[in-house]
Amino acid sequence: MRNAVLEICGRMQPDSEEELLGAVQALLSLCYQTPLPRSEVPANFFNKLKRVADSCFGIDTTSQHSYFVSEYKHAFQVDFLGHHGRTLQNVNQLAERLKKWLKVLKSKVEKMPKSIRIEEISRFLAEFTADGDIEIPGQYVEYSEPNLEQHERLHSFGREVRVLLKHGFFCRGITMRSMEGREHQFTVHYSMPQNIRMEERINQFFRITNWWLRKHPETMRRSLELQVPVMVPLSPMVRLLEDNTSFVTLTYVYEQHCLKYGREPEQPILLTQRILSEATSENLAMAQLRAYKEVIAHLVNEHMLSLYMLRTLRDPNHLWSVKRTMLHHMAEFAFLGYILGVGDRKPDNISFCRATGVVSHSEFFPTYNQKDKWGEIDLSTTENLVAFRLTRNIQSLLAPQIVDALFADVFTCMAQCLTEPRVLLQNYFSVFTRDEYIALSQKRSRETPSDEAINGKMRANVDYIMTRLLHLSPHLSAGSGASNGGNAAVMRTANGGSANANGSAASGVPLQSSSSASMGRSEFPPDISDPIDKRARDLITKHPAFNGSVKCTSTGILGTSCSMKAAYHG
């Protein structure tokens, strides 16, 4: 077992060309994020280029790496680190040179095989066989008592090692075959130790949340459950991740669309940079609006994701099931991302299963303030104002009626579920934020913060998280309850209706809290939400189960259908 782990950690690294290609893509992404591309190249860019050169062209005794160093090292130093590199006048010129290197490395990598025989990588793994005394990894991650009799045992490794591109970086995929003949796919990821520990804490929180979701009646009735990938650390910098070939990222869908119509994926970024570079500080907001309108009018339409799913799924019933599951998972991650202050939800961080609609998020990390020397980890000072990702393409795929009906419904049920174990949740968030503060403080400063600083910041972060959580939870107030005339706690809804104490109306459908409705109104302008509200009302009044007793006011795209559907049976 120990030798197998050492072989996986030491021999499953990407090739030198793949590592350099990933580094060039990351640097090019930083150039695209620069608001003024014609500004002077920052000094930290040259520091990053030097670290890339030291990492990719370091000392290695293999003949393959020696050939790579002789072919690329001198040219890389001349373009970026030598006298020619110091003549770069602005970020735009740096981006042009990085794109030239990206094109050369891509052409080289695309000629490489997509799979490698395992005996070419490790003779030990090729000849490895077990007698049933080693378990398949990832069977102890559930928040429940393990059943050892049902655990699968490792027999051997697959004959092929896959070459994969995950989240912009290359990695290797291995297959573990059990004693029963089942095959389990894993990817070998190399990452920084602090990122691995942070993802472990987030995944542990997801599993605890799933345990609560399975206990609450309303979340059980909707089958709400977070997708938690299996992650098994092998060393401080290497981990195994469960791999599913049916999962694709939103970036993959966009790149396939660009490939079909012969467009460069970077065109929206380049157009935005060109427009913003011509703007002044006085008309910057108007320039951003103009760039957005240009992009959605000519480069990125709102039906890319819908067309991809229509080509993938031919059965309308299957498509409906995928849409419903996808919206449930989108709403769940949006809820948790809002209360934890998670930002940086790029299309490359969101993947979904084409067969089931299950959504998974990577790098689901809270956004922290980084101004003081400790990197003041305070969620209340986050600068990311986007609460969650619900873009035009996602809304077009799911349809406005589904979004209106289910999104706020999932928000309310999640909030009601997580506010009941409030003391347990506060205790867990205390441990979570304390570990995060210590880890990031040690990363940004060699000194260890004092216990007073840790406890003070921990309490502030927990209070902020609980405040956001309670803001989304249903509000209970005293009022008239059941038909027997007794007084009961009722939940006031956005349209003035009421529900009993367990959160359901006379029709048995959970209602939406007033906080969710007000949030929906603040997220969408009236000229967008009102027509959708009208269409939803028309759908209900034409429904054969409509009993003519609907009373609803326009409450925004997140609140309309949830408040209306409690007023009729069907």
Side-chain angles (χ1 to χ4, degrees), residues 162-167 171-175 183-189 227 229-231 240-248:
R162 305 180 307 280
V163 179
L164 305 174
L165 179 62
K166 297 286 187 178
H167 309 296
C171 59
R172 297 292 182 261
I174 61 175
T175 303
E183 292 186 348
H184 299 264
Q185 310 287 344
F186 292 93
T187 57
V188 184
H189 278 249
Q227 172 67 17
V230 174
M231 185 178 68
L240 288 179
L241 285 179
E242 184 183 26
D243 187 28
N244 192 335
T245 56
S246 62
F247 272 82
V248 295

Side-chain angles (χ1 to χ4, degrees), residues 191-450:
S191 181
M192 300 300 294
Q194 58 268 20
N195 292 341
I196 293 180
R197 293 294 300 162
M198 191 178 296
E199 287 204 5
E200 286 180 352
R201 284 189 285 267
I202 289 293
N203 289 343
Q204 184 186 26
F205 170 64
F206 287 167
R207 293 188 183 96
I208 294 176
T209 303
N210 282 337
W211 186 79
W212 282 325
L213 293 177
R214 297 188 191 109
K215 300 295 183 181
H216 194 269
E218 295 299 336
T219 55
M220 286 178 59
R221 189 159 67 89
R222 292 161 178 80
S223 301
L224 299 182
E225 187 172 359
L226 296 166
Q227 172 67 17
V228 186
V230 174
M231 185 178 68
V232 182
L234 300 181
S235 73
M237 298 185 64
V238 184
R239 57 183 174 172
L240 288 179
L241 285 179
E242 184 183 26
D243 187 28
N244 192 335
T245 56
S246 62
F247 272 82
V248 295
T249 62
L250 296 179
T251 300
Y252 174 81
V253 176
Y254 170 68
E255 290 177 348
Q256 291 297 311
H257 177 81
C258 295
L259 182 63
K260 180 180 179 181
Y261 291 98
R263 297 174 182 171
E264 292 293 333
E266 298 83 8
Q267 282 188 358
I269 301 176
L270 298 177
L271 175 62
T272 303
Q273 285 188 339
R274 180 177 60 82
I275 296 177
L276 295 182
S277 62
E278 300 171 355
T280 60
S281 58
E282 290 78 10
N283 59 355
L284 181 60
M286 296 300 297
Q288 291 175 341
L289 179 60
R290 177 193 163 199
Y292 170 74
K293 292 182 177 179
E294 290 284 339
V295 168
I296 65 175
H298 302 100
L299 298 178
V300 181
N301 64 69
E302 61 182 1
H303 302 296
M304 286 190 303
L305 187 57
S306 302
L307 294 175
Y308 177 81
M309 295 303 295
L310 288 175
R311 290 193 301 266
T312 305
L313 304 174
R314 301 294 183 179
D315 185 10
N317 294 329
H318 192 187
L319 181 61
W320 164 256
S321 176
V322 167
K323 285 183 178 181
R324 186 175 182 274
T325 304
M326 183 179 291
L327 186 133
H328 277 177
H329 283 264
M330 285 283 186
E332 291 165 4
F333 280 103
F335 176 86
L336 295 178
Y338 172 74
I339 65 173
L340 293 177
V342 176
D344 196 24
R345 292 296 85 205
K346 302 175 184 176
D348 202 40
N349 294 336
I350 304 175
S351 57
F352 64 94
C353 181
R354 292 170 289 187
T356 61
V358 173
V359 179
S360 177
H361 283 240
S362 62
E363 299 181 4
F364 200 78
F365 303 148
T367 304
Y368 299 108
N369 188 24
Q370 305 179 10
K371 293 183 179 179
D372 63 355
K373 72 172 185 176
W374 299 117
E376 181 187 356
I377 305 171
D378 189 353
L379 295 173
S380 60
T381 59
T382 176
E383 297 179 359
N384 196 318
L385 302 179
V386 180
F388 48 82
R389 189 176 189 91
L390 188 63
T391 54
R392 298 161 55 249
N393 269 272
I394 298 176
Q395 291 189 60
S396 176
L397 169 66
L398 302 178
Q401 292 80 9
I402 302 178
V403 175
D404 288 353
L406 298 180
F407 205 85
D409 187 39
V410 174
F411 259 61
T412 306
C413 291
M414 290 274 294
Q416 188 178 9
C417 172
L418 294 182
T419 51
E420 289 182 358
R422 188 177 304 179
V423 177
L424 296 176
L425 198 63
Q426 285 178 334
N427 294 337
Y428 178 79
F429 279 136
S430 299
V431 177
F432 176 80
T433 56
R434 179 185 177 88
D435 291 345
E436 289 285 290
Y437 183 71
I438 294 175
L440 291 182
S441 297
Q442 292 176 349
K443 174 185 174 182
R444 297 167 186 169
S445 177
R446 297 298 181 184
E447 303 177 21
T448 302
S450 61

Side-chain angles (χ1 to χ4, degrees), residues 11 78 84 98 117 138 143 145 159 196 241-242 284 296 300 306 354 370 386 392 412 493 506 511 529 533 554 556:
R11 297 185 179 274
V78 168
H84 186 51
L98 288 173
R117 301 288 295 179
Y143 195 68
E145 188 71 22
R159 299 296 94 188
I196 293 180
L241 285 179
E242 184 183 26
L284 181 60
I296 65 175
V300 181
S306 302
R354 292 170 289 187
Q370 305 179 10
V386 180
R392 298 161 55 249
T412 306
T493 62
L511 298 179
S529 62
D533 295 341
S554 178

